[in-house]
Amino acid sequence: MSTRIETLNPDTTTGKSKELFDAVQNKLGFIPNLIKVFGNSPATLQSYLSLGELTASGNFSNKFREQLALAIAEENSCNYCLSAHTAIGKMNGLTDEQTEESRQGRAADAKVEAGLQLAQSITRNRGNISTEEIQAAKAAGYNDGDILEIVLNVVSNTLTNYVNHIAETEIDFPAVEAGKFAVNS
């Protein structure tokens, strides 16, 4: 594959990256191209996988974490992550309309929408958000711990967004392009 950072072949990879590839293969049934890129640095791959475990152990549902991933990927214009999280979001109950609303920081549920908008603002403003934005999130039902978990999701997803931008990772999910929407809501 022609990417700017090598996409490793799991059949010829050895050492710690091979161990991590095998764990991903056992969990997902395949090894996404992003993981094959991350494998160039076992420490970075392990960090990514650990961040995924940490976000999964938090208070947010899989569905909401996918909505956050979509909102962050759209904000960062990461087509690989938009493609991956559109597919994963469907597996977690997101409709096409919910997927596209999430990408735009919108949701039928006011609390979910406030969380998506906070995540996008944190991403867009590199963490420099206003007191009013924090107060709006709290008014929508988020507590301090929830706000920090949103930050954790931003960090985890931004890592993948940036790696995909740098590597120009080949998309191995049905392709979705930032800024283009099929559902008008």
Side-chain angles (χ1 to χ4, degrees), residues 29-105:
F30 75 108
I31 303 170
N33 285 340
L34 172 64
I35 300 298
K36 295 174 190 175
V37 169
F38 268 131
N40 285 285
S41 167
T44 305
L45 176 54
Q46 181 67 60
S47 296
Y48 164 71
L49 295 172
S50 295
L51 282 170
E53 290 173 11
L54 290 169
T55 59
S57 71
N59 294 326
F60 300 150
S61 68
N62 290 344
K63 183 177 180 178
F64 182 56
R65 285 196 321 276
E66 290 306 316
Q67 289 176 285
L68 287 168
L70 288 161
I72 296 160
E74 184 68 37
E75 191 63 41
N76 280 325
S77 298
C78 182
N79 293 336
Y80 185 95
C81 289
L82 285 171
S83 302
H85 290 289
T86 295
I88 298 166
K90 285 181 183 178
M91 293 187 291
N92 283 283
L94 288 177
T95 66
D96 290 343
E97 184 176 8
Q98 289 171 322
T99 296
E100 292 202 2
E101 286 175 345
S102 297
R103 291 172 54 195
Q104 297 171 60

Side-chain angles (χ1 to χ4, degrees), residues 69-177:
L70 288 161
I72 296 160
E74 184 68 37
E75 191 63 41
N76 280 325
S77 298
C78 182
N79 293 336
Y80 185 95
C81 289
L82 285 171
S83 302
H85 290 289
T86 295
I88 298 166
K90 285 181 183 178
M91 293 187 291
N92 283 283
L94 288 177
T95 66
D96 290 343
E97 184 176 8
Q98 289 171 322
T99 296
E100 292 202 2
E101 286 175 345
S102 297
R103 291 172 54 195
Q104 297 171 60
R106 297 193 333 258
D109 179 283
K111 182 177 180 181
V112 170
E113 183 167 300
L116 297 175
Q117 290 178 357
L118 182 64
Q120 286 188 318
S121 182
I122 291 167
T123 303
R124 180 174 43 257
N125 297 303
R126 300 182 185 138
N128 294 303
I129 60 171
S130 69
T131 300
E132 292 76 22
E133 289 174 288
I134 293 170
Q135 290 170 339
K138 287 182 177 183
Y142 293 101
N143 62 35
D144 290 340
D146 295 331
I147 291 169
L148 294 176
E149 278 194 44
I150 290 172
V151 173
L152 176 61
N153 279 270
V154 169
V155 168
S156 178
N157 284 284
T158 299
L159 172 63
T160 62
N161 297 168
Y162 285 8
V163 167
N164 287 315
H165 287 315
I166 291 165
E168 294 182 348
T169 309
E170 184 177 319
I171 298 172
D172 50 353
F173 294 90
V176 176
E177 191 173 335

